[in-house]
């Protein structure tokens, strides 16, 4: 029998990182020592007290049963209290907070709650690929908002045709931004609120990197601006904040009807998050000041090593105020994919071609400084030896 996949799967755009994955495999087979700066996955361990809490909680038989769909009220309360301490914004843990199996899970499911087939969803390009795919799964049409350097990698709402804006149900934004590492100021969020209110669309702000920020900079929550509560939901993650990517824990806060729409989808798909992990999440949110200074200091040092080294080589890169990504312009005469291939072939350095995040990412590569400083210095030394 020939097994055919659903059109839903077939319509997903080709996997643009396939080429680099193939190259990686090929170079590894040749015995090349690869320095992988391709993946945004913290290399540092989860803080000990969080692990200890998981150990204890995993022994409690009440945690061995199905968790509640919306998350433990104790976890949601810890979220609301953290949010108030961190951003000065209050949410009702019962109706305005939802536990997620990582923020990706919430982002992947939200279009199912609010997008009808044929509706537009406004999606940043370059951007985290899940916005586009989750839109397609719901039968929606992604309309890409280019993030350009000359506009500080913020979308320009005046470029969106009126007929598209009128038919758009969701707007995805993400600051601090993956992959560009750009940040957003209050005035941008105010503009977003005005735009969303005018066209009656839901704003989905992905704040996965809100606690990875440097030099004392504290990213804003979208909810710190007036009117945001009427139009928005914000996705948060414990993944990058506490080095917990493998644990799969995040949450959403926002308008109670948006939260309940997403919750309705989830009750029909998953059965909640292991309560012992939620208890560990409570430990994390209650007992640590975020951003976590020891993590941030390490990232700051790595960032400085990389930015200095890359600039010495003649590559153009901004010094990011947040995220652990460097968004690097490829030298004249190369495409993103060609340059990424050259780096891996000649220096064993894995970077992600920018066009993998959307067409408007062409002309850039992304490097993640989620490997230790010694290896980063080695990466710079290797780069110095190649010609481009
Ligand atoms: C922009 C952005 N949003 C969301 C996520 C998902 O994070 P998690 O599902 O681990 O919370 C990621 C992960 O890389 C990301 O880069």
């Amino acid at each position: 029998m020939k097994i055919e996949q659903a059109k839903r799967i077939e319509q997903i755009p080709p996997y643009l990182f396939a080429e680099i994955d193939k190259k990686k495999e090929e170079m590894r087979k040749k015995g090349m020592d690869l320095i992988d700066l391709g993946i945004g996955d913290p290399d540092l361990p989860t803080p000990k007290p969080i692990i200890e809490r998981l150990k204890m909680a995993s022994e409690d038989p009440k945690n061995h049963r199905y968790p509640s769909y919306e998350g433990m009220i104790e976890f949601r309360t810890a979220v609301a209290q953290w949010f108030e301490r961190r951003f000065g914004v209050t949410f009702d843990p019962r109706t305005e907070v939802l536990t997620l199996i990582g923020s990706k899970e919430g982002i992947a499911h939200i279009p199912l709650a609010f997008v009808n087939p044929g509706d537009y969803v406004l999606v940043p390009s370059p951007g985290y690929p899940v916005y586009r795919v989750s839109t397609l799964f719901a039968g929606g049409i992604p309309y890409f908002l280019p993030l350009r350097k000359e506009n500080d990698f913020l979308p320009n709402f005046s470029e969106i045709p009126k007929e598209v804006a009128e038919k758009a149900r969701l707007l995805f934004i993400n600051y601090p931004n993956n992959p560009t590492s750009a940040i957003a100021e209050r005035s941008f969020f105010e503009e977003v609120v005005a735009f969303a209110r005018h066209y009656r669309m839901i704003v989905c702000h992905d704040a996965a990197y809100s606690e990875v920020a440097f030099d004392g900079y504290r990213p804003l929550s979208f909810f710190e601006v007036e009117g945001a509560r009427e139009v928005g939901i914000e996705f948060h993650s414990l993944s990058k904040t506490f080095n917990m990517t493998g644990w799969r824990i995040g949450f959403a806060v926002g308008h109670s009807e948006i939260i309940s729409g997403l919750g309705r989808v989830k009750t029909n798909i998953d059965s909640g998050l292991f309560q012992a992990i939620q208890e560990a999440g409570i430990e994390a949110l209650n007992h640590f000041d975020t951003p976590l200074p020891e993590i941030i200091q390490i990232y700051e040092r790595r960032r400085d090593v990389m930015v200095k080294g890359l600039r010495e080589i003649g590559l153009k890169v901004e010094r990011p105020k947040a995220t652990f990504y460097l968004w690097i312009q490829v030298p004249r005469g190369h495409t993103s994919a060609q340059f990424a291939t050259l780096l891996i072939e000649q220096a064993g350095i894995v970077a992600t071609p920018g066009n993998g995040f959307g067409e408007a990412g062409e002309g850039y590569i992304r490097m993640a400084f989620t490997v230790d400083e010694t290896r980063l210095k080695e990466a710079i030394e290797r780069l110095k030896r190649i010609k481009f």
Side-chain angles (χ1 to χ4, degrees):
M1 183 174 81
K2 184 172 182 310
I3 308 290
E4 279 185 25
Q5 295 190 336
K7 293 205 172 53
R8 180 179 311 112
I9 295 276
E10 282 175 354
Q11 66 173 339
I12 299 174
Y15 180 55
L16 277 153
F17 305 130
E19 196 56 33
I20 215 82
D21 283 351
K22 227 169 67 197
K23 257 281 128 13
K24 251 164 86 171
E25 197 45 42
E26 188 188 315
M27 300 315 283
R28 258 201 202 107
K29 275 198 186 127
K30 282 189 184 162
M32 173 83 102
D33 165 36
L34 295 180
I35 301 179
D36 196 342
L37 309 179
I39 308 163
D41 188 357
D43 56 316
L44 303 166
T46 306
K48 270 264 158 27
I50 304 176
I51 300 172
E52 290 305 321
R53 181 72 178 262
L54 172 77
K55 284 186 189 163
M56 251 167 52
S58 68
E59 301 223 2
D60 185 345
K62 84 172 186 319
N63 291 338
H64 301 166
R65 312 190 66 190
Y66 281 121
S68 64
Y69 288 116
E70 65 282 0
M72 295 164 77
I73 187 63
E74 295 84 354
F75 175 71
R76 288 180 290 140
T77 302
V79 164
Q81 288 169 347
W82 173 80
F83 216 92
E84 184 162 12
R85 284 198 307 278
R86 171 68 177 84
F87 301 109
V89 179
T90 55
F91 284 105
D92 180 343
R94 293 187 180 277
T95 55
E96 295 175 319
V97 181
L98 187 64
T99 304
L100 299 173
I101 310 170
S103 64
K104 180 180 186 179
E105 181 261 307
I107 294 165
H109 284 143
I110 195 152
L112 293 178
F114 299 105
V115 176
N116 286 311
D119 288 342
Y120 281 110
V121 172
L122 306 181
V123 171
S125 170
Y128 182 52
V130 183
Y131 313 137
R132 171 183 60 180
V133 173
S134 62
T135 298
L136 292 171
F137 280 177
I141 307 168
Y143 184 88
F144 295 107
L145 309 180
L147 307 184
R148 301 192 192 92
K149 182 175 159 56
E150 57 271 26
N151 202 35
D152 300 321
F153 300 106
L154 300 168
N156 182 348
F157 295 115
S158 67
E159 287 175 353
I160 304 168
K162 198 162 175 278
E163 21 348 322
V164 172
E166 277 167 352
K167 276 181 67 187
R169 292 302 316 279
L170 302 181
L171 160 65
F172 279 106
I173 51 170
N174 162 225
Y175 293 96
N177 184 259
N178 174 15
T180 68
S181 74
I183 56 167
E185 302 294 356
R186 185 177 295 273
S187 56
F188 172 72
F189 286 146
E190 283 166 356
E191 199 190 335
V192 170
V193 169
F195 177 77
R197 265 182 167 166
H198 184 261
Y199 288 105
R200 297 166 179 273
M201 67 182 78
I202 294 171
V203 177
C204 302
H205 181 226
D206 178 355
Y209 296 90
S210 72
E211 308 309 304
V212 185
F214 310 125
D215 312 320
Y217 168 65
R218 293 280 180 278
L220 289 177
S221 162
F222 175 60
F223 291 112
E224 287 182 73
V225 306
E226 219 183 297
R229 298 177 81 103
E230 268 175 60
V231 295
I233 181 167
E234 190 164 75
F235 294 95
H236 284 260
S237 174
L238 276 70
S239 288
K240 321 286 158 121
T241 308
F242 301 105
N243 299 331
M244 290 176 77
T245 48
W247 298 57
R248 311 312 303 132
I249 176 166
F251 57 87
V253 294
H255 192 301
S256 61
E257 283 173 39
I258 309 176
I259 291 288
S260 87
L262 176 57
R264 250 177 108 176
V265 172
K266 280 174 59 57
T267 50
N268 288 287
I269 294 180
D270 64 65
S271 298
L273 174 66
F274 182 28
Q275 293 200 154
I277 294 181
Q278 296 189 60
E279 283 200 26
I282 294 171
E283 184 70 32
L285 292 171
N286 282 350
H287 298 292
F288 289 93
D289 276 335
T290 61
L292 244 61
E294 43 302 3
I295 302 180
I296 296 306
Q297 279 162 18
I298 292 172
Y299 285 147
E300 280 172 353
R301 279 207 305 275
R302 293 177 179 180
R303 172 199 61 177
D304 293 346
V305 163
M306 286 302 284
V307 169
K308 182 167 171 285
L310 292 168
R311 286 181 179 166
E312 278 169 13
I313 295 160
L315 290 170
K316 285 199 180 129
V317 60
E318 295 292 328
R319 190 161 173 269
K321 287 207 176 79
T323 80
F324 37 61
Y325 299 117
L326 298 165
W327 191 234
I328 304 159
Q329 285 187 50
V330 304
R332 219 180 269 273
H334 295 269
T335 65
S336 297
Q338 281 166 353
F339 193 57
T341 305
L342 183 128
L343 294 186
I344 192 167
E345 279 182 346
Q346 296 197 16
I349 290 167
V350 183
T352 313
N355 61 324
F357 300 99
E359 248 175 60
E362 180 51 57
Y364 289 86
I365 54 163
R366 190 194 74 177
M367 287 184 184
F369 42 90
T370 45
V371 304
D372 70 41
E373 208 176 313
T374 323
R375 289 292 272 171
L376 293 176
K377 286 182 175 155
E378 159 84 19
I380 294 295
E381 287 313 307
R382 289 191 199 178
L383 285 169
K384 282 184 179 161
R385 293 197 289 268
I386 65 174
K387 295 246 173 308
F388 38 79

